[in-house]
Amino acid sequence: MDESASLPARNTDTPWSAGPEGALGQLRALETLESAYDAWAELKREHAASVIQFREEQSRLAQQGSFLLGAVRAAGMDPGSTTPGLQQQGAASDFLRDAEAKLAKARDAVSQREAESEARYQAAFTEVRATLLDRVRRYLVRSRPHLTLLLRRVGAERSILHVARVQPDEAVLLCYLLTQRVPSRYGFLFDDSTEDLSLLPAPLYAEESVTSDAIRPDAPGLLSVIDASTEVVPLKGFIPLRVPRPGGGEDFFRLLQRGAVMEVEIADGPDFRSILTREESERFAGHLLRLKLEERIGLDIEAG
């Protein structure tokens, strides 16, 4: 599996039982954002293992049926065979009919258990997502993300903007505050893994309807993925935001994690650039200042 598509390592500090009940127990036991994401990741792992298990069981039954038919033919018991058989054709038909009936009953039983298991998992996914969204909203009521904006001049009319590194909880809250969506993973902002060492880390995870061959869209494609998402967006390594233009419309910015800071970049055609014009940097800073005045974030601005 690609590294970008793999789930975070299981948290072994707390014993978990298999199946959705174990993940839900962890979800209900603690009221933190991290515990909600831990429960969600565990639920995804358990669900994936369950899907594989049922797939293997159905495959085993199919192989059993194929083996049985081959054995019957090898014994000359196939009713459709022209080779003289060791048994009468009527006995062969009865044997096959009885064996096929047992296999069909076994396949139906597996399908029934699979449907019931899938229903439990989907109900658990619904609860986890609803609980996570509720916690994020409640956290934002009593705790505002605090940003420190750092200005670095590049000549008289150009600049680079940095935002000081935030904590994981703040990253989740900031993502929801700016997009009305939660990230699909708790440590999304600080994940610099890549499935190919010759490539930079992808900006998306292969989840939430994003396929493994679509994790590196260009800037307009990235915005389309964000717009197409509803409650959850599989962002990796950055936080997006839109900044209005004076004459109407808006620009697509992102805060790209770079070690101790996040670098402010603006979409420019298919790519992003980090060297901003004076107007762009002032408009970005003004947007954050409006959020501060609305008491939605805390903000410090420092010129370098």
Side-chain angles (χ1 to χ4, degrees):
M1 181 180 292
D2 288 347
E3 190 174 354
S4 62
S6 63
L7 290 170
R10 177 174 177 166
N11 182 354
T12 57
D13 294 338
T14 304
W16 298 49
S17 62
E21 292 76 16
L24 291 178
Q26 176 71 3
L27 175 74
R28 297 161 184 162
L30 298 172
E31 282 286 324
T32 66
L33 295 181
E34 186 174 10
S35 68
Y37 275 102
D38 283 344
W40 193 7
E42 183 67 10
L43 192 63
K44 291 176 184 177
R45 279 187 289 267
E46 294 284 358
H47 179 246
S50 174
V51 169
I52 292 173
Q53 179 183 356
F54 281 114
R55 187 179 301 156
E56 290 176 345
E57 196 165 352
Q58 290 285 14
S59 177
R60 179 183 61 80
L61 290 173
Q63 289 175 353
Q64 185 177 343
S66 177
F67 176 80
L68 177 63
L69 183 58
V72 167
R73 286 174 174 165
M77 295 170 61
D78 187 353
S81 174
T82 59
T83 304
L86 300 177
Q87 302 289 338
Q88 295 184 1
Q89 296 299 323
S93 296
D94 291 342
F95 178 83
L96 278 175
R97 194 161 40 245
D98 181 61
E100 288 174 346
K102 290 179 180 178
L103 284 171
K105 185 176 181 180
R107 284 193 293 267
D108 289 344
V110 172
S111 296
Q112 178 66 24
R113 288 191 289 110
E114 183 177 11
E116 292 171 353
S117 174
E118 185 65 20
R120 289 196 302 273
Y121 274 108
Q122 292 307 318
F125 279 124
T126 298
E127 179 175 341
V128 168
R129 292 167 74 110
T131 300
L132 177 59
L133 283 163
D134 178 66
R135 285 185 190 176
V136 167
R137 291 163 183 153
R138 286 190 288 111
Y139 269 50
L140 279 171
V141 170
R142 65 174 187 264
S143 177
R144 295 179 298 169
H146 190 96
L147 302 181
T148 299
L149 183 63
L150 310 168
L151 173 64
R152 302 288 183 260
R153 291 289 183 188
V154 182
E157 297 296 327
R158 296 287 187 272
S159 62
I160 293 176
L161 294 181
H162 288 159
V163 176
R165 184 185 178 101
V166 296
Q167 296 301 310
D169 271 16
E170 283 186 301
V172 172
L173 297 179
L174 193 59
C175 180
Y176 183 78
L177 179 68
L178 297 175
T179 68
Q180 295 302 297
R181 296 158 177 81
V182 293
S184 61
R185 302 194 190 186
Y186 182 67
F188 79 103
L189 184 59
F190 315 103
D191 187 354
D192 60 358
S193 62
T194 178
E195 79 286 2
D196 186 338
L197 294 178
S198 67
L199 299 173
L200 293 173
L204 296 173
Y205 291 108
E207 55 196 23
E208 298 293 326
S209 299
V210 175
T211 59
S212 58
D213 61 350
I215 59 175
R216 285 187 168 79
D218 60 12
L222 194 56
L223 187 58
S224 295
V225 170
I226 296 169
D227 288 341
S229 63
T230 53
E231 297 175 337
V232 180
V233 61
L235 304 177
K236 179 183 175 189
F238 77 100
I239 298 174
L241 71 158
R242 289 180 168 90
V243 175
R245 300 190 197 104
E250 54 192 10
D251 284 317
F252 176 32
F253 285 82
R254 69 176 181 180
L255 305 178
L256 184 67
Q257 182 62 36
R258 291 190 181 279
V261 298
M262 295 181 286
E263 191 159 275
V264 179
E265 296 185 337
I266 187 172
D268 187 2
D271 301 314
F272 288 88
R273 57 176 167 83
S274 59
I275 298 181
L276 309 178
T277 67
R278 180 174 180 176
E279 188 273 338
E280 290 166 345
S281 59
E282 290 178 351
R283 186 154 46 88
F284 180 87
H287 183 67
L288 294 188
L289 183 56
R290 279 195 299 271
L291 294 176
K292 173 183 171 63
L293 296 176
E294 294 169 359
E295 298 186 343
R296 300 171 67 187
I297 66 170
L299 177 67
D300 294 318
I301 298 179
E302 298 180 4

